[in-house]
Amino acid sequence: LDLTLKPAGAIICSVIGEFTGIGGRQEIAALKAGGCIEIYAIASSTSDTTSTELKLVTRMETNSILRSAVTVRSGGSKRDLLVVGADGGCVSVLDFEGGKQGKVLHCPAFGKTGCRRGTPGQYLAADPKGRAIMIGAIEKRKLVYVLNRDGEGNVTIASPLEAHKSNTITFSLVGLDNGYDNPIFAALELTYIDYDQIENENDDLSDSAASDDNNAHASTPTHSVQKQLAYYELDLGLNHVSRRWSTAVHRSACILLAAVPGGSDGPGGVFVAGEDWIEYVHEGSDGDGDSHAAVSNAIIAPLPRRKLHSDSKGVMITALTVHRQKKGKFFAVCRQTELGDAYKVSLDLQKGDGTYSVTGITVSLLDTLPVANSLNITKLGMLFVAAEFSNHALFQFERIDLADVAPTTKSSQVREVMDALVSSSSSRPLVNSYLKAYSVMYTAI
């Protein structure tokens, strides 16, 4: 007998969009533990008109293990659809029109059930123009679904296109913003060497060394494994997916969750975050466009560190989100695992003939928040923090032009300069921050 007395409060991930189409407001879709999807609206408080809070619009029980979610808006639509990856071996396209119970528009199956390393569903990415989605597994498999509309305006989904790569582990997946060109998806990958292949090479070297009387020059092969940022392009004309471009990144790269606005709004590309650094990478940003160019040619900036934090221990970023502003300006908010510090990451842009080029990165300390699984920023400057352990919260940005006293690092600075730029204390009180706490959504224990 399974009786749910109180729904789980832990949020696996959250995305933002206009799902119900009510008043053009933005809503937050939260995937909760226990297989529940909840839609929250940001509205004025009933008790205090000057305050803002999260109000539950609808709840949908899925009876599954939810893994990932992404927002998709097809061309000509005024509402967003929610695409969910779960343990059912299929990808689900959900519609919450009018704030009613979610309706499953499409649910094509692609593999076995369960949370397996070779079953897609762990990663989801969508083209910003809503033309395609990519669903990926931890190992090898990636599938691309093309979204269209029929004569009656209903959303249709085509058969999946394979983008598999053997002996490859995927760490993150995101859809690039490149205007109306062919959709491109960026993946943070690591290609490993097959164990049987290494054993065969070692056996061949042992036989060669044994037959040689003087084996002073016999050596053991070295197998270098590099993490790579790879671009997968969907050719809409040929209906084919190809691995277009790849470049090596630092081995500590762990997250790739922020696609920079592209096309006529920005330079495009992605943010890659690792241990103690954040990097901007885009095709052609490594000089001559060679896929095997050195990592040092990319635009990289260190993170400001706390004074009391050990120099021998790095700080990992666990979440990124991009907030688009008018006139091509935007910034990203990053999160650190151990400390929970939030940063404002700005790109120094140089505008040419209708195009943008990145000349540098500036990282400034914003505030210290609870450790989050997801961060979402609304058009009204609200920040939703889906906390990992503590209560979920909603904040309001009071200002984004940080004062000169905020610890700041730039891509032009070397690591030795950071000692003079660290924070003067081990923590910062929320009273003196640039975020104002509006409401807290308490989690269920």
Side-chain angles (χ1 to χ4, degrees):
L1 182 62
D2 184 11
L3 296 176
T4 303
L5 301 180
K6 194 173 184 180
I11 295 180
I12 302 172
C13 69
S14 62
V15 294
I16 194 167
E18 300 176 8
F19 301 106
T20 61
I22 301 176
R25 66 185 183 189
Q26 283 190 312
E27 293 136 344
I28 296 173
L31 272 62
K32 291 198 169 184
C36 179
I37 301 177
E38 295 180 346
I39 305 296
Y40 290 91
I42 301 175
S44 299
S45 176
T46 56
S47 58
D48 186 4
T49 57
T50 61
S51 181
T52 305
E53 64 181 6
L54 292 173
K55 294 183 178 180
L56 179 64
V57 178
T58 182
R59 178 186 289 112
M60 180 179 181
E61 296 289 345
T62 63
N63 297 323
S64 62
I65 300 177
L66 302 176
R67 305 175 68 184
S68 56
V70 69
T71 302
V72 175
R73 176 177 293 191
S74 57
S77 176
K78 296 182 179 180
R79 292 181 295 103
D80 293 319
L81 302 177
L82 182 65
V83 183
V84 178
D87 65 336
C90 57
V91 56
S92 303
V93 181
L94 307 178
D95 187 8
F96 293 90
E97 182 179 4
K100 302 177 182 178
Q101 182 73 11
K103 178 182 178 182
V104 181
L105 299 182
H106 300 282
C107 190
F110 50 73
K112 298 179 180 180
T113 60
C115 299
R116 309 169 188 265
R117 67 178 186 178
T119 301
Q122 184 66 28
Y123 305 105
L124 262 176
D127 174 59
K129 301 300 181 182
R131 298 170 294 177
I133 59 174
M134 173 179 277
I135 182 169
I138 297 177
E139 185 176 3
K140 182 182 177 179
R141 300 185 64 191
K142 297 182 184 68
L143 298 174
V144 177
Y145 290 89
V146 180
L147 301 178
N148 287 308
R149 283 185 172 273
D150 57 14
E152 299 179 357
N154 299 321
V155 177
T156 62
I157 187 168
S159 300
L161 303 175
E162 296 183 354
H164 305 332
K165 192 174 187 299
S166 302
N167 300 337
T168 300
I169 297 176
T170 303
F171 292 87
S172 187
L173 198 65
V174 71
L176 262 67
D177 186 356
N178 60 336
Y180 289 97
D181 294 337
N182 286 332
I184 297 178
F185 299 93
L188 186 61
E189 301 175 340
L190 186 145
T191 302
Y192 59 88
I193 306 298
D194 191 1
Y195 179 78
D196 295 335
Q197 179 182 351
I198 299 177
E199 288 295 320
N200 293 334
E201 291 181 6
N202 291 337
D203 293 341
D204 295 340
L205 284 175
S206 299
D207 296 340
S208 176
S211 61
D212 191 356
D213 295 335
N214 186 12
N215 57 358
H217 298 285
S219 60
T220 303
T222 58
H223 302 278
S224 59
V225 179
Q226 285 185 333
K227 278 188 180 179
Q228 289 187 335
L229 172 66
Y231 279 7
Y232 290 87
E233 180 182 9
L234 169 61
D235 194 321
L236 296 176
L238 300 177
N239 201 28
H240 173 71
V241 181
S242 60
R243 199 170 190 261
R244 166 174 172 168
W245 174 79
S246 64
T247 183
V249 295
H250 197 272
R251 185 61 184 271
S252 66
C254 60
I255 193 171
L256 175 71
L257 284 181
V260 179
S264 59
D265 298 329
V270 293
F271 281 123
V272 181
E275 189 176 16
D276 287 335
W277 55 269
I278 186 170
E279 180 181 10
Y280 169 80
V281 185
H282 192 34
E283 184 178 6
S285 65
D286 51 1
D288 55 0
D290 185 6
S291 60
H292 300 287
V295 182
S296 58
N297 290 331
I299 302 178
I300 185 171
L303 295 177
R305 294 168 58 92
R306 294 187 179 186
K307 180 181 295 185
L308 301 181
H309 193 76
S310 175
D311 294 337
S312 60
K313 183 179 180 181
V315 178
M316 302 296 291
I317 296 178
T318 59
L320 281 99
T321 183
V322 170
H323 173 62
R324 182 180 302 193
Q325 295 176 318
K326 296 181 180 179
K327 299 180 181 179
K329 297 180 180 180
F330 44 87
F331 70 94
V333 177
C334 313
R335 280 304 311 254
Q336 294 185 6
T337 302
E338 296 86 356
L339 309 178
D341 294 333
Y343 295 90
K344 170 189 173 183
V345 182
S346 304
L347 291 179
D348 301 329
L349 301 179
Q350 182 178 0
K351 188 175 182 180
D353 297 334
T355 60
Y356 293 87
S357 60
V358 180
T359 59
I361 303 176
T362 303
V363 183
S364 302
L365 181 62
L366 183 64
D367 208 322
T368 301
L369 303 174
V371 178
N373 286 330
S374 296
L375 295 173
N376 306 111
I377 303 178
T378 69
K379 296 179 181 179
L380 300 178
M382 309 293 294
L383 172 64
F384 174 69
V385 179
E388 183 176 0
F389 299 108
S390 59
N391 297 325
H392 314 305
L394 183 67
F395 297 90
Q396 170 73 53
F397 284 97
E398 293 186 338
R399 55 181 299 183
I400 59 175
D401 51 337
L402 304 185
D404 297 334
V405 297
T408 303
T409 58
K410 296 185 178 181
S411 55
S412 58
Q413 296 172 330
V414 294
R415 179 58 188 269
E416 288 75 13
V417 185
M418 293 177 59
D419 294 337
L421 299 173
V422 295
S423 179
S424 59
S425 63
S426 58
S427 62
R428 299 181 60 207
L430 191 62
V431 178
N432 299 327
S433 70
Y434 303 98
L435 292 172
K436 176 184 178 181
Y438 259 148
S439 65
V440 176
M441 185 170 61
Y442 291 99
T443 59
I445 305 300

